[in-house]
Amino acid sequence: MSELTRIPAPDGVAAALQYSHVVLGTGRFVAIAGQLPLDEQGRLVGEGDPAAQAGQVFENLRRCLAAAGATFDDVAKLTYFVTDMAHMPALRAARAGHIPDDRLPAASAVQVAALVRPEFLMEVEAFAVVAP
């Protein structure tokens, strides 16, 4: 596990409520491609259900992090792509199941017109720093 420093409110910047403005650390950089709500067989999980899709996305992120020797404690940045900002509470709830509030990574949320398939409501990518 790496040692990451989280700065939720740098001088002169309003405090963030659901993320840290700055996360820094030393170690190996790990980039996790955008994860979609697909199970191990490539089948959609939770058609039309943001909570089910968010749960699968975070499970896929967990598995990808583990493949790199990382955990959610090593995540420095998450980027959320959603087809509707109304899906963000489901993503925050899924994130809360993996990342405690005192270890929030930097984050960006972007509403997109569409993802690679119309039944996908969200995609999440991650950047992590793993101890050398």
Side-chain angles (χ1 to χ4, degrees):
M1 182 170 78
S2 65
E3 286 297 320
L4 297 179
T5 301
R6 291 164 177 82
I7 305 170
D11 290 342
V13 178
L17 300 178
Q18 296 291 327
Y19 59 93
S20 296
H21 278 291
V22 179
V23 179
L24 57 121
T26 302
R28 291 184 300 118
F29 177 75
V30 177
I32 305 295
Q35 295 301 300
L36 296 162
L38 297 171
D39 68 12
E40 292 177 50
Q41 288 75 41
R43 295 180 303 231
L44 175 67
V45 172
E47 185 163 359
D49 182 346
Q53 288 197 17
Q56 185 64 48
V57 164
F58 269 85
E59 177 57 19
N60 292 347
L61 286 168
R62 184 194 66 74
R63 290 175 180 171
C64 290
L65 288 163
T71 70
F72 280 104
D73 283 342
D74 301 309
V75 172
K77 173 85 165 53
L78 292 172
T79 304
Y80 304 96
F81 302 97
V82 294
T83 57
D84 187 330
M85 282 296 175
H87 303 320
M88 286 305 298
L91 279 164
R92 286 187 197 108
R95 182 201 63 209
H98 296 278
I99 303 173
D101 285 347
D102 66 339
R103 301 199 53 83
L104 292 174
S108 299
V110 181
Q111 183 171 329
V112 297
L115 292 166
V116 69
R117 287 183 10 204
E119 62 269 28
F120 296 147
L121 304 177
M122 61 197 61
E123 180 175 342
V124 181
E125 68 182 15
F127 297 111
V129 178
V130 182

